[in-house]
Amino acid sequence: MTDIRLAAFDMAGTTIDEHGDVYRALENCVTETGTPVDAADLQTWMGTDKVEAITQLLRLGGHAGDEATVAACFDRFRALLAEYYAVHPPVGLPGAEDALRTLGEAGVKVALTTGFSADVAGPLLDSLGWKVGEGELLDAVVTSDEVAAGRPYPYMIHRAMERTGVRSVAQVLVAGDTVVDAQAGAASGAAQVVGVLTGALTAEDFAGSGTTAVLGSVAEVPAHLGLG
């Protein structure tokens, strides 16, 4: 049996295939203001709180990133995302749901953490039928608007520990598809920090991010823990 008692996973690109629409919505809500978005900057800020990401992308593109523009961009981001999801509904990544169930059946608590706010994450999970509760797929969901700061800060992971009753970071695995996912995991003190390759990164991109392992996908996590 594994010593891991909590597995905290990112959502988009890690457990959920949303067809890159978060990238599109984030980029387009900024470029519609006339502000250019560099592809490298977009990748850097993926996985972070979306208000913070919008603020930084505006400023990196030469915009002041004032509060009113950021708020308008965030509203536009949510509208664009809803529009894109209506055309291409998100689905669980191959093997992800089975992996989460395998972990749960082995006594590992399963949490999702996300740079989305609760009003974006909730409907997304509802569309997949992924629920939180006793006997459900998930034990906890933590969104970036529920903590003082999103990734790369570790607060969402620690909140997931609170909600699942896991006391020691030595019993926590964190997995995600972006560098900030790994940085947050490392900052949390988690025993295992796993980068997965279902997003836009290669194994080499995770170098120096704090990962303890890089796997092809979340589907490989149970076997990685000796559970499958």
Side-chain angles (χ1 to χ4, degrees):
M1 289 293 292
T2 178
D3 292 330
I4 297 298
R5 292 292 172 263
L6 169 63
F9 298 106
D10 172 52
M11 285 175 51
T14 299
T15 52
I16 299 170
D17 181 2
E18 44 72 61
H19 317 294
D21 286 338
V22 172
Y23 284 82
R24 291 176 58 209
L26 188 58
E27 179 177 14
N28 290 344
C29 77
V30 173
T31 58
E32 284 179 4
T33 69
T35 306
V37 173
D38 182 81
D41 291 335
L42 182 63
Q43 179 58 54
T44 296
W45 287 96
M46 282 303 299
T48 64
D49 174 79
K50 295 304 175 279
V51 172
E52 178 67 10
I54 288 166
T55 302
Q56 295 302 323
L57 289 173
L58 283 167
R59 291 174 179 172
L60 286 165
H63 194 284
D66 58 281
E67 186 174 335
T69 301
V70 170
C73 279
F74 183 59
D75 285 343
R76 182 60 176 152
F77 165 77
R78 290 186 294 185
L80 286 170
L81 198 59
E83 177 184 320
Y84 298 159
Y85 282 177
V87 176
H88 299 291
V91 295
L93 278 159
E97 185 169 342
D98 287 343
L100 302 191
R101 291 197 186 282
T102 297
L103 292 169
E105 289 167 0
V108 179
K109 299 292 186 181
V110 175
L112 297 183
T113 65
T114 178
F116 292 149
S117 54
D119 61 343
V120 175
L124 173 54
L125 292 173
D126 287 344
S127 73
L128 296 171
W130 292 9
K131 301 183 183 302
V132 178
E134 186 71 28
E136 299 291 351
L137 183 67
L138 306 173
D139 296 290
V141 173
V142 183
T143 57
S144 60
D145 58 336
E146 297 180 292
V147 293
R151 305 176 185 120
Y153 292 91
Y155 307 141
M156 288 195 292
I157 298 163
H158 292 156
R159 183 63 57 86
M161 292 175 64
E162 292 175 13
R163 291 184 177 172
T164 56
V166 174
R167 295 193 301 174
S168 174
V169 290
Q171 297 177 314
V172 178
L173 175 147
V174 175
D177 68 300
T178 67
V179 168
V180 291
D181 292 326
Q183 290 172 335
S188 77
Q192 297 202 38
V193 179
V194 177
V196 296
L197 303 180
T198 44
L201 302 187
T202 66
E204 291 74 19
D205 292 325
F206 283 104
S209 65
T211 53
T212 58
V214 177
L215 302 177
S217 75
V218 163
E220 299 175 22
V221 169
H224 174 70
L225 294 177
L227 300 174

